[in-house]
Amino acid sequence: MNNLLQLKGQFQTKGARRPGLPQLPKNGEVTAKHLLDLRQQLVEIKDYWQKKQIPFDPLISVYYKKITAKSNRIRRLLGGGSSGATNFIVGARFEGDYQNTHHVITYCVSESIVDDSIDILDSCVALAQQYGGVINCEIMHQLQQIPTKKWSYKPPKSIFSQVIRDAYFAERFGIRAQQEAVDGWAVVNIYDTGFSNVRDFLNDLGLRITPDQVLGSALRLSPEQYSVLIGKYPFLVSMAISDISELTPAEFDEAGINPLNIPKPGNEPIIGVIDTPFDDNAYFSDWVESINLIPSEIEIRPEDCAHGTKVASLIVDGPSLMPNLNDGCGRFRVRHFGVAPGSRSDAFAFMRRVKSIVEQNRDIKVWNISQGSMREVARNFISPEGATLDELQSRFDDIVFVVAGTNQTLEKQQKIGAPADSINSLVVNATSFSGETASYSRSGPVLEFFKKPDVCAVGGDDDDRMYAYAGNGGSWVQGTSFAAPWIARKMAYLMQIMGFNREVAKALIIDAAAGWDFRDDSKRGYGQVPIRIEDLVKSKDDEIKFVLTGIADSYETYNFDIPVPVVNSKHPYIARATLCYFPPCDRRQGVDYTSTELDLHFGRIDDKGNLRALNNNRQGENNDFTTEATARNSYRKWDNVKHIGENFRNSQRGRKAYKTQMWGLKIRKTTRWDKPASAPFGNLRFGIVVTLREMGGMNRIDEFIQKCSLRGWIVHSVDVQNRVDIYNAAEVEIDFNE
């Protein structure tokens, strides 16, 4: 097998092109009647808010015609005398059925901005009526050809053009005030209307909230408080969900006591486990630092410790318990936090505990969470638990959560449960030992788009279960709870022993799962991860696998100097590439949850110096007309994992090698925000794994390394044993008194 290669080189950057005047799509048109309707809707909305006499700026929802790209959202309308309406967005959701899904985006704007939009629509109506009451693509173009000095109409040319484009994509304005019923205590988010302190804001509205009921932008309200809020201010609530979650039960059969021997722990990497309490009677208890965070007044029975202890047993000593799943990663120590006994969990308490645990244990880089809710994820917002994990992974750039995909316990239950909807986490579903999708698997996607789960691993099934251990002996178990630890082990090995950052480690796992025969599957994610770690950090003799990492700090980050070998004027390779990054997220933005998009382009460099992407991705290119639906479905726009893959066929022929004989990659970065100063994002680190497969079965890795070195790349061949030796040497404790 060939070693994995690390390529280090210089990425070039380039800023975005300055946009021209707004245009209508071909065959698109806007009528004066539609402009008048929009104006009248704003007048009625203004009147509604004035009668309410609310102490905050009006909330206005824009109902778009379809799922709408950022570039097609209103900019001048509700833009406050500029084209900055995007910066007033406080929430987004989907409405309509699967065939007719469309965006509903809520803006919080001042009354003066509403007045400005009404006035601008008046002017645009007057101009549209001079052209027969219809502005189409051709008329728009004719008007834009009029020199600015000769423009005699009231709305300036640039404003008129933008308002017409705004009106084309916006179907109507409205007020959204419908709320679902919530049983018991509720976790609630309210629209950000500009308050600096949500507790003070609600107290001013007459709703007395104590400090322990607030966590970031989330509130924990009693049934009475929630009833008062939606009774008086229903339009303030952007999302609400019950605070109590039924946890998915684990299934296991006791196998009796089977004493096992284990050596004393050394300086092995530590994996954090957040689960039910740990049973100190387990044979591997020396390997586990147990911390119980359950209030002392709650009685903890031995059976309350079973789930967490079994999860820990697989992390510590999985290869001994299940030799046929020996991954080659060795043993790991565990720092185990008991947070939830029994079958019910308080979501708000979970969020507080997880934030505190991670903040106080910064030496832990990989966290395993094998608990999840029976309740299916919501259509239009991430669960509070999932959002907490995403926020932590955005704030700390060296941690990752590995989360179980939750088990199906009811026939009608299909979607995964919290916190498996965490976008940045590595979410794991289960398979049987034969590789079939486990019978209890639940499915994604999340927010009707994001691919969850990410991958799957063996978790056992009815006909063949997994062996795990608790304080009272072994058990035959099944569930995503027991698939996740095998992936947590691999993440810890890749990050803490091999020294990869989390972006590359996650990309290696997803890339290995996808392989050369990737098929989209809502229950398997990108596929089943190979059992052995060497299948992630090595490649076959006819393959070249290399990793790159960088920081996206401009609109474009690129390198066009990857010298893929050439034979008879052709590149005899198929290829695949996987990109991973951890974007900032904002639960208050609903379905527009991730703030930053990295778009991956990978392929040959033609004679004109242009990159010809493997998947024909032309987003951002000149004369590009990729729709938002195509960008999401074909190129995974806004997802934080991008995978470009080709299937291997024996009849394939080599690709033409252009004069450059180079391949390249380009990453385009965009954000949902117009003003970077007000956007929750900065420079974003990424990791990429590229695998090349020689069509004729030849091993050309030495030629590739030589050519890369000549092109200025620093090439490291990743020797697994060498990395292990370096880790062991670095972890040796030195006594300077000897």
Side-chain angles (χ1 to χ4, degrees):
M1 298 182 77
N2 289 330
N3 284 340
L4 174 68
L5 304 178
Q6 273 186 300
L7 268 58
K8 296 184 178 180
Q10 186 69 38
F11 284 97
Q12 305 298 315
T13 61
K14 186 169 67 174
R17 299 188 304 271
R18 186 179 180 85
L21 286 172
Q23 304 291 330
L24 282 179
K26 188 177 181 180
N27 300 324
E29 65 177 33
V30 174
T31 66
K33 181 182 182 305
H34 182 51
L35 295 171
L36 277 170
D37 288 342
L38 293 176
R39 178 196 178 281
Q40 182 59 31
Q41 290 156 12
L42 287 180
V43 169
E44 293 173 357
I45 289 171
K46 176 187 173 183
D47 181 62
Y48 172 86
W49 287 113
Q50 285 179 335
K51 290 179 179 178
K52 287 290 183 181
Q53 296 183 331
I54 53 164
F56 48 85
D57 286 337
L59 293 162
I60 300 176
S61 292
V62 179
Y63 292 74
Y64 289 90
K65 296 178 180 178
K66 55 186 177 181
I67 296 178
T68 306
K70 174 194 170 184
S71 58
N72 294 335
R73 296 176 186 178
I74 63 169
R75 300 178 67 84
R76 183 57 182 82
L77 295 176
L78 305 186
S82 66
S83 294
T86 296
N87 295 304
F88 298 112
I89 293 175
V90 294
R93 60 189 291 112
F94 290 142
E95 289 191 0
D97 58 28
Y98 180 77
Q99 298 295 330
N100 300 291
T101 301
H102 59 90
H103 258 118
V104 179
I105 300 179
T106 301
Y107 300 75
C108 183
V109 294
S110 66
E111 190 173 312
S112 63
I113 288 177
V114 179
D115 288 336
D116 170 79
S117 297
I118 292 171
D119 292 341
I120 289 297
L121 283 167
D122 271 334
S123 300
C124 291
V125 167
L127 179 50
Q129 288 173 339
Q130 294 185 41
Y131 284 84
V134 177
I135 301 295
N136 58 28
C137 182
E138 291 75 17
I139 293 175
M140 175 90 92
H141 182 71
Q142 292 172 18
L143 288 168
Q144 290 176 345
Q145 300 309 304
I146 299 174
T148 302
K149 292 182 179 180
K150 295 184 178 181
W151 182 269
S152 59
Y153 304 107
K154 183 177 179 181
K157 181 166 56 175
S158 60
I159 292 178
F160 173 76
S161 299
Q162 186 61 61
V163 170
I164 294 300
R165 183 176 172 86
D166 287 353
Y168 175 79
F169 290 101
E171 185 172 23
R172 64 183 176 92
F173 295 114
I175 298 172
R176 182 184 170 273
Q178 295 180 349
Q179 294 301 325
E180 300 84 2
V182 177
D183 294 330
W185 283 77
V187 177
V188 177
N189 278 77
I190 64 174
Y191 288 118
D192 185 354
T193 58
F195 49 78
S196 58
N197 183 295
V198 65
R199 178 170 170 253
D200 291 343
F201 172 70
L202 289 178
N203 285 343
D204 290 342
L205 295 180
L207 199 64
R208 300 302 171 190
I209 305 296
T210 59
D212 63 350
Q213 289 181 263
V214 181
L215 185 62
S217 62
L219 303 164
R220 184 173 188 259
L221 302 182
S222 69
E224 295 77 15
Q225 289 172 324
Y226 180 68
S227 178
V228 170
L229 179 61
I230 63 172
K232 192 172 183 180
Y233 300 106
F235 35 74
L236 262 181
V237 178
S238 63
M239 60 196 80
I241 194 170
S242 173
D243 187 40
I244 301 299
S245 294
E246 295 269 351
L247 300 179
T248 55
E251 294 189 31
F252 50 84
D253 296 326
E254 299 301 331
I257 297 175
N258 182 20
L260 297 175
N261 295 319
I262 189 171
K264 293 292 183 180
N267 287 317
E268 291 83 0
I270 300 175
I271 294 175
V273 173
I274 301 174
D275 211 293
T276 65
F278 180 75
D279 191 331
D280 291 324
N281 294 316
Y283 76 92
F284 55 92
S285 59
D286 287 346
W287 288 72
V288 179
E289 179 186 355
S290 176
I291 301 169
N292 181 21
L293 298 179
I294 297 172
S296 58
E297 61 269 19
I298 298 178
E299 180 185 0
I300 300 175
R301 303 162 300 172
E303 55 266 32
D304 292 328
C305 302
H307 185 273
T309 307
K310 289 179 171 65
V311 168
S313 75
L314 296 176
I315 292 176
V316 172
D317 205 24
S320 297
L321 296 168
M322 294 297 301
N324 56 336
L325 296 181
N326 185 0
D327 50 18
C329 296
R331 293 185 175 94
F332 294 88
R333 291 180 290 161
V334 165
R335 193 171 300 160
H336 192 289
F337 298 88
V339 299
S343 60
R344 292 168 69 84
S345 174
D346 176 339
F348 212 73
F350 174 88
M351 292 188 287
R352 283 192 181 279
R353 287 168 181 162
V354 169
K355 288 172 73 76
S356 176
I357 288 168
V358 172
E359 290 168 350
Q360 296 175 22
N361 293 271
R362 293 290 294 114
D363 59 317
I364 297 179
K365 308 306 178 186
V366 178
W367 295 88
N368 186 101
I369 297 180
S370 282
Q371 288 192 321
S373 173
M374 289 177 61
R375 182 181 58 236
E376 293 180 308
V377 295
R379 179 188 188 189
N380 283 305
F381 54 87
I382 295 291
S383 69
E385 302 96 315
T388 297
L389 303 189
D390 286 332
E391 186 271 328
L392 289 167
Q393 288 169 111
S394 176
R395 181 148 57 101
F396 302 119
D397 66 1
D398 59 350
I399 68 168
V400 65
F401 290 95
V402 178
V403 179
T406 65
N407 305 330
Q408 185 182 46
T409 56
L410 303 171
E411 185 176 345
K412 63 179 181 179
Q413 184 185 59
Q414 299 296 329
K415 293 284 188 179
I416 58 176
D421 55 344
S422 165
I423 301 302
N424 282 327
S425 298
L426 188 55
V427 178
V428 185
N429 256 17
T431 71
S432 65
F433 281 86
S434 63
E436 298 297 320
T437 303
S439 59
Y440 47 80
S441 296
R442 294 162 74 176
S443 66
V446 171
L447 300 181
E448 297 194 350
F449 169 68
F450 293 98
K451 186 182 289 295
K452 292 292 167 183
D454 294 283
V455 296
C456 54
V458 175
D461 212 338
D462 291 333
D463 58 346
D464 198 359
R465 299 191 175 196
M466 188 181 301
Y467 191 69
Y469 215 90
N472 60 346
S475 296
W476 293 105
V477 301
Q478 65 177 16
T480 58
S481 292
F482 310 110
W486 296 101
I487 303 302
R489 289 168 54 84
K490 289 182 172 65
M491 280 296 295
Y493 189 93
L494 292 170
M495 292 176 63
Q496 296 175 259
I497 294 179
M498 300 300 293
F500 294 118
N501 62 36
R502 64 179 182 177
E503 290 79 10
V504 168
K506 184 176 178 180
L508 282 167
I509 286 175
I510 289 176
D511 184 79
W516 295 110
D517 57 353
F518 167 66
R519 295 289 185 275
D520 195 16
D521 190 308
S522 63
K523 293 184 177 180
R524 298 175 68 91
Y526 286 94
Q528 183 170 3
V529 181
I531 293 173
R532 298 290 298 180
I533 191 67
E534 56 260 34
D535 291 328
L536 279 66
V537 295
K538 289 180 176 290
S539 61
K540 295 180 180 178
D541 290 342
D542 61 350
E543 293 179 349
I544 300 170
K545 180 186 288 191
F546 59 91
V547 299
L548 305 122
T549 188
I551 296 176
D553 54 6
S554 297
Y555 173 64
E556 285 188 3
T557 302
Y558 63 95
N559 187 298
F560 289 176
D561 283 327
I562 301 175
V564 176
V566 175
V567 178
N568 298 325
S569 300
K570 293 184 181 295
H571 298 289
Y573 286 93
I574 62 169
R576 68 175 191 255
T578 303
L579 164 75
C580 288
Y581 60 101
F582 289 70
C585 303
D586 188 348
R587 184 171 182 259
R588 292 174 298 180
Q589 294 296 312
V591 295
D592 291 348
Y593 179 62
T594 54
S595 68
T596 310
E597 153 73 359
L598 296 187
D599 179 31
L600 175 63
H601 300 244
F602 175 71
R604 294 168 294 160
I605 307 301
D606 66 19
D607 294 339
K608 295 181 179 180
N610 298 318
L611 190 154
R612 299 173 67 92
L614 284 179
N615 58 348
N616 298 314
N617 183 1
R618 289 188 51 78
Q619 292 181 88
E621 304 293 334
N622 291 330
N623 301 317
D624 166 48
F625 298 103
T626 305
T627 65
E628 180 75 359
T630 299
R632 287 173 175 248
N633 294 333
S634 299
Y635 309 122
R636 304 303 303 162
K637 183 179 179 182
W638 297 111
D639 208 340
N640 60 346
V641 174
K642 304 292 192 300
H643 177 75
I644 303 169
E646 298 182 287
N647 296 329
F648 182 79
R649 300 189 306 273
N650 291 326
S651 60
Q652 283 174 311
R653 299 180 180 180
R655 289 185 173 87
K656 174 184 176 181
Y658 293 99
K659 293 178 182 178
T660 65
Q661 297 194 357
M662 293 293 119
W663 288 43
L665 62 89
K666 175 168 57 182
I667 292 174
R668 283 199 172 102
K669 176 185 175 184
T670 56
T671 173
R672 297 190 191 275
W673 302 82
D674 286 335
K675 297 179 181 178
S678 66
F681 78 99
N683 298 337
L684 198 57
R685 192 172 65 196
F686 60 84
I688 300 176
V689 176
V690 175
T691 308
L692 306 170
R693 180 172 178 177
E694 221 275 359
M695 297 176 183
M698 299 293 293
N699 189 344
R700 304 184 189 275
I701 193 169
D702 291 336
E703 178 186 353
F704 178 74
I705 293 172
Q706 182 182 41
K707 288 189 172 185
C708 283
S709 299
L710 291 174
R711 301 296 299 187
W713 291 99
I714 299 174
V715 185
H716 293 294
S717 179
V718 179
D719 184 281
V720 176
Q721 188 56 51
N722 184 50
R723 294 286 178 103
V724 172
D725 292 342
I726 291 173
Y727 173 82
N728 289 333
E731 293 298 314
V732 171
E733 295 184 3
I734 300 175
D735 187 350
F736 290 97
N737 295 319
E738 291 186 356

